Amino acid sequence: MLEHAPVGMALFEAQTLRLLSANPSYQALFEPTWREGQAIGHGLRDLLPEAVQAEVIALFEHVIQTGAAQEAQAYRTFSPTGGVRYWNWTLSPLVEEEQVCLVLVTITKVTATVLAHQEAERMQAALTQTTDAVARERQRLADRETILLSLRQVSEPTVLAQSVLSALGGCFSPSMAALYSTHAEPGSLSLLGTHTPIRVSAEPALFPAPLSSGQHPDLLQAMQSSAPIVMKRAEGKDQTKAQEWWWSVPETQCVIALPLWEKRCEGVLVLALRTEEAANELLNTLGECAPHLAEALASACLHAELSNEKQRLHTILDQLPEGVLLVEARTSKISYANPAAAHLLGLRLLQLLGTPLNQSALLSPYGRSKLVQRSVFQWNFALIDALWGKRSSSQELFIPRPDGSEVTVLSSAAPIRLHHGLISEAVIVFQDITALKRLEQHKNEFFAMANHELRTPLTIILGYSELLQMSAPSDGASMQQYALNSITHECQHLLRLIGDLLDVSRLEQAQLEVQKQKHDVLMIVGNLVSTFMETTSTHKLSLRLQEIEPHEPLLGWVDLPRLEQIVSNLTTNAIKYSPGGGKVEIGVRPVRDGQGMAQEVMIWVKDEGIGIATSDLPYLFERFYRAKKIDRSISGFGIGLYLTKELVQAHGGRIWVESTKGEGSTFFVQLPLGEPQEAILARK
Ligand code: ADP
């Protein structure tokens, strides 16, 4: 029966613990020494390895003494080859006359089960470990996310500090957290915010003023290093005064000072912790967040600096007597207006802010006078142009106010660009010139009237002097003749000057007009030169014709008296600014098209006089400009060239000069000869 049993079975004599019988499965236990029945008859001591003898014999004796069966689960044995085997044992007493005489040993090999169980346990342990690691990692990521999310509020450094510190408080429950910035003063730290759990009431005062070196060396050392500084409470050991301060924060065992570096150290984050162990885990997470914290801190500080700067700028602009308006490119709405702007436009400041660009000068220009409409459109376009990068300056505009009054302003507009060139805003600056304009108008009116009043007596004097010249006896004293000639000449000169002044005042009032008619330009210039030749004995005048015959007509649309005025002004100057005896050349050249038709005429006046310095050239055609170093005894108002330029431009032509100091000058005038557009339209 034992032989065929699937489990190992053996019978031991209770008295001697000798093996009486065993099936092959059991005998396999004793491989190889006791195989094939050789174990039968031997005692337990012989059969068992020494290491387990005492333990197994004790089990047998317990069964024999108590008569109660014993079990041993997953009993471990070693095979001769060193392998481990596991067995389940049962020792059952066989009792005869109340005495245990035999012990039946049943063994079941459970190696596979035990090994599988052990493997399962190992795997379970590994799984638990992995799950813990995943949970820790998840927590770390969650903490990281919480901290990074708290950086979204970057508007202001102290707001950012509160947001970050309370996120850190939620994640790590420190006994105290504080954030310092390096932005206050170079090389120092200033406190931006603190966080302490509510139950810690005895919070020591942190350092709100900027810290300089020596005050808190730990923090300043952290600021200079790029790695975090970890301070641990070392009881009984020497502590610096500064470190003692940290331990006065209740429940604190460890303090971390983490420098926040981006391109430079932006600040230091301080966390007081309740355990030293918490520091390692925390440093991992914080290490990853530090660059982001630094970046957010830098951007918040920059933002604060910018808004301070903006505030400062607005305070300055608010004090200006000129109106200043800023229009935001993104919205095309007014983003800033100073009180002067509101006052000039006749609106309240709050009314102006946020108003769309096209309503900044007036809600609707329609139904207003043409002048006002044009001004409002010019105003709007100046701002639109500025948003497209174009500047405009010194525009005179009439701005209507809601109360019906009008102001005249001188305005300039320009784009405001960010550092990378993008236009962020347009600015328009305008000043009230209403009073100035009124004054100017009075002046012009007076000027025109004075002109008229001066001209009348002068014309009479000139008339009489010419009469006297004509009626003077041919044999009259040469002195008398000379005096009459001089009176006539000077009167004519004075009349020309008064005429020029009148023209300038007309120009200022935009009343000067040219009336073009068909004339022979060559004849006009030729006649004028002849008159000059008759009256000028001091200089050698000549007419030079290029690419045209002397009697060939050069027909064009010009204003005859105005063309005479142009050539006359230039010739007078050429004579005036040349020493006596000098040559003056007046030239004419038609500018022809492909068919040989004269489309334009070029007229030049060349002298060999004092010339013009290069530094004077750009200003020559300005009103009242006279060359810096000319002899002030040469009379003049500095309006001749200004007027000449205006007349040339009114003809649609252009004027320029080539001159070298001391070597004479040549003034060129190029005029179109074609019929004016209005005349063509009128004829049609
Ligand atoms: P002005 O009454 O002074 O002559 P203009 O307007 O005619 O005024 O000329 C302006 C200035 O230009 C003069 O003051 C003089 O310095 C300079 N200028 C004009 N024409 C000449 C010239 N032909 N040669 C040298 N300088 C000249």
Side-chain angles (χ1 to χ4, degrees):
M1 179 192 80
L2 287 179
E3 265 180 39
H4 303 292
V7 295
M9 296 180 96
L11 265 179
F12 282 87
E13 195 188 47
Q15 207 103 68
T16 58
L17 293 181
R18 270 189 312 118
L19 177 65
L20 297 179
S21 171
N23 70 355
S25 303
Y26 188 88
Q27 286 188 41
L29 250 183
F30 310 119
E31 282 176 309
T33 330
W34 302 101
R35 220 187 304 164
E36 293 166 9
Q38 288 177 34
I40 308 298
H42 286 275
L44 256 182
R45 277 182 206 285
D46 302 334
L47 297 172
L48 293 171
E50 220 178 293
V52 297
Q53 269 178 21
E55 185 193 348
V56 176
I57 289 170
L59 267 175
F60 270 76
E61 281 173 351
H62 183 76
V63 171
I64 294 161
Q65 275 163 22
T66 59
Q70 280 284 317
E71 279 184 4
Q73 299 281 330
Y75 190 81
R76 190 170 63 166
T77 64
F78 295 93
S79 73
T81 51
V84 184
R85 287 180 295 187
Y86 292 92
W87 311 88
N88 280 354
W89 286 46
T90 313
L91 301 185
S92 313
L94 299 179
V95 182
E96 221 172 68
E97 294 172 5
E98 295 182 356
Q99 275 252 320
V100 177
C101 56
L102 293 171
V103 177
L104 175 66
V105 182
T106 318
I107 58 168
T108 316
K109 197 172 172 185
V110 290
T111 311
T113 319
V114 171
L115 287 180
H117 187 69
Q118 281 177 351
E119 183 59 21
E121 271 181 353
R122 246 199 325 274
M123 281 175 73
Q124 180 63 40
L127 194 69
T128 314
Q129 228 174 20
T130 314
T131 317
D132 284 354
V134 168
R136 270 202 308 279
E137 183 61 13
R138 189 176 291 159
Q139 184 58 48
R140 200 178 66 78
L141 289 176
D143 290 346
R144 189 170 172 259
E145 192 184 350
T146 311
I147 295 166
L148 295 185
L149 278 177
S150 73
L151 303 181
R152 275 196 190 161
Q153 270 173 301
V154 290
S155 54
E156 218 266 314
T158 50
V159 179
L160 176 81
Q162 276 321 318
S163 166
V164 172
L165 292 174
S166 71
L168 288 168
C171 294
F172 308 119
S173 315
S175 50
M176 190 277 297
L179 183 63
Y180 291 87
S181 158
T182 56
H183 281 253
E185 281 169 29
S188 73
L189 284 167
S190 64
L191 182 68
L192 287 180
T194 56
H195 175 86
T196 22
I198 298 150
R199 63 196 176 84
V200 178
S201 52
E203 175 198 346
L206 287 177
F207 333 99
L211 293 178
S212 56
S213 60
Q215 270 177 299
H216 215 285
D218 299 329
L219 291 185
L220 292 156
Q221 188 193 341
M223 182 180 120
Q224 275 139 24
S225 74
S226 51
I229 291 179
V230 181
M231 294 166 269
K232 294 180 180 168
R233 187 193 284 269
E235 269 165 358
K237 285 198 195 151
D238 289 345
Q239 302 264 334
T240 62
K241 216 169 170 63
Q243 279 172 349
E244 269 173 26
W245 186 91
W246 291 118
W247 313 131
S248 65
V249 179
E251 302 180 21
T252 299
Q253 292 299 324
C254 174
V255 173
I256 294 174
L258 180 79
L260 304 176
W261 275 80
E262 204 209 2
K263 285 178 194 114
R264 57 186 284 267
C265 182
E266 301 292 340
V268 176
L269 178 69
V270 181
L271 285 173
L273 302 171
R274 294 188 172 88
T275 61
E276 287 180 13
E277 293 72 43
N280 295 335
E281 196 76 0
L282 193 143
L283 275 176
N284 229 343
T285 313
L286 280 185
E288 283 177 16
C289 296
H292 303 285
L293 281 168
E295 196 185 327
L297 191 56
S299 125
C301 289
L302 193 71
H303 193 276
E305 265 170 41
L306 280 181
S307 71
N308 283 348
E309 192 56 32
K310 205 169 173 180
Q311 192 58 45
R312 209 174 70 87
L313 200 71
H314 283 182
T315 313
I316 296 171
L317 292 180
D318 283 351
Q319 310 311 314
L320 286 183
E322 285 86 15
V324 180
L325 277 188
L326 292 183
V327 173
E328 201 181 23
R330 199 171 45 86
T331 55
S332 295
K333 287 183 177 169
I334 297 178
S335 56
Y336 168 80
N338 69 351
H343 172 72
L344 280 178
L345 298 173
L347 296 166
R348 276 182 293 117
L349 205 55
L350 285 177
Q351 230 176 325
L352 264 177
L353 295 175
T355 305
L357 176 156
N358 60 353
Q359 294 172 12
S360 53
L362 184 67
L363 235 57
S364 165
Y366 298 98
R368 300 283 188 142
S369 75
K370 275 223 164 71
L371 193 64
V372 166
Q373 278 193 22
R374 203 175 55 222
S375 284
V376 172
F377 284 129
Q378 273 177 304
W379 168 283
N380 291 347
F381 278 114
L383 280 170
I384 292 168
D385 281 349
L387 288 177
W388 283 97
K390 223 173 102 185
R391 290 165 176 273
S392 60
S393 62
S394 307
Q395 274 190 313
E396 262 185 43
L397 304 174
F398 298 91
I399 303 295
R401 287 162 148 169
D403 64 4
S405 63
E406 277 173 15
V407 279
T408 311
V409 298
L410 193 67
S411 75
S412 298
I416 298 179
R417 293 176 191 274
L418 298 177
H419 69 280
H420 41 63
L422 200 78
I423 296 171
S424 63
E425 280 167 311
V427 61
I428 188 161
V429 181
F430 48 105
Q431 81 186 93
D432 187 356
I433 55 163
T434 318
L436 207 72
K437 286 306 289 179
R438 209 172 294 135
L439 206 71
E440 205 165 295
Q441 196 186 347
H442 288 159
K443 184 200 77 186
N444 285 337
E445 281 166 10
F446 168 78
F447 212 48
M449 198 187 70
N451 254 315
H452 181 73
E453 295 296 314
L454 286 173
R455 198 180 262 274
T456 317
L458 249 182
T459 319
I460 295 169
I461 297 173
L462 188 64
Y464 278 122
S465 90
E466 279 171 354
L467 200 71
L468 279 173
Q469 261 180 319
M470 279 191 289
S471 56
S474 54
D475 58 343
S478 64
M479 178 59 200
Q480 195 181 352
Q481 195 63 41
Y482 177 77
L484 281 173
N485 281 351
S486 294
I487 292 171
T488 312
H489 185 262
E490 291 307 319
C491 277
Q492 279 165 345
H493 181 63
L494 252 177
L495 268 178
R496 240 193 337 268
L497 275 179
I498 292 171
D500 280 358
L501 281 174
L502 185 65
D503 281 346
V504 171
S505 76
R506 279 192 191 137
L507 260 178
E508 282 178 355
Q509 295 177 73
Q511 286 173 354
L512 197 124
E513 283 176 4
V514 288
Q515 279 161 355
K516 290 184 177 180
Q517 278 174 351
K518 205 163 189 181
H519 292 286
D520 181 352
V521 173
L522 187 55
M523 205 167 74
I524 298 172
V525 180
N527 288 345
L528 198 77
V529 175
S530 304
T531 317
F532 262 103
M533 283 172 170
E534 277 166 25
T535 52
T536 313
S537 54
T538 50
H539 292 72
K540 290 178 196 127
L541 267 76
S542 62
L543 176 68
R544 183 162 174 214
L545 303 181
Q546 270 184 357
E547 296 166 31
I548 191 162
E549 294 303 317
H551 299 295
E552 194 185 329
L554 181 57
L555 295 175
W557 287 80
V558 289
D559 182 324
L560 186 128
R562 294 304 187 192
L563 178 61
E564 281 179 343
Q565 206 176 347
I566 292 169
V567 182
S568 161
N569 277 355
L570 296 177
T571 312
T572 313
N573 273 357
I575 295 169
K576 196 160 71 168
Y577 295 106
S578 303
K583 285 186 199 158
V584 174
E585 173 188 292
I586 295 113
V588 179
R589 179 170 68 85
V591 182
R592 300 182 193 273
D593 63 11
Q595 279 85 46
M597 297 286 291
Q599 294 295 345
E600 287 179 306
V601 60
M602 166 92 95
I603 302 168
W604 66 91
V605 178
K606 183 178 175 192
D607 64 58
E608 295 173 343
I610 59 171
I612 302 159
T614 320
S615 57
D616 286 316
L617 286 175
Y619 311 105
L620 227 52
F621 297 100
E622 282 180 10
R623 205 166 43 152
F624 305 123
Y625 189 82
R626 307 202 72 208
K628 289 260 160 22
K629 287 187 181 157
I630 59 161
D631 182 354
R632 291 292 158 192
S633 66
I634 307 176
S635 65
F637 287 143
I639 52 169
L641 283 184
Y642 165 69
L643 199 62
T644 309
K645 177 202 70 179
E646 292 292 327
L647 291 173
V648 169
Q649 286 179 350
H651 272 85
R654 60 192 189 98
I655 181 168
W656 70 99
V657 59
E658 285 172 9
S659 180
T660 312
K661 184 107 189 106
E663 291 177 23
S665 327
T666 310
F667 283 83
F668 297 89
V669 170
Q670 192 158 345
L671 296 176
L673 293 174
E675 202 171 350
Q677 195 69 20
E678 316 85 69
I680 300 170
L681 288 173
R683 222 185 21 251
K684 278 181 183 166

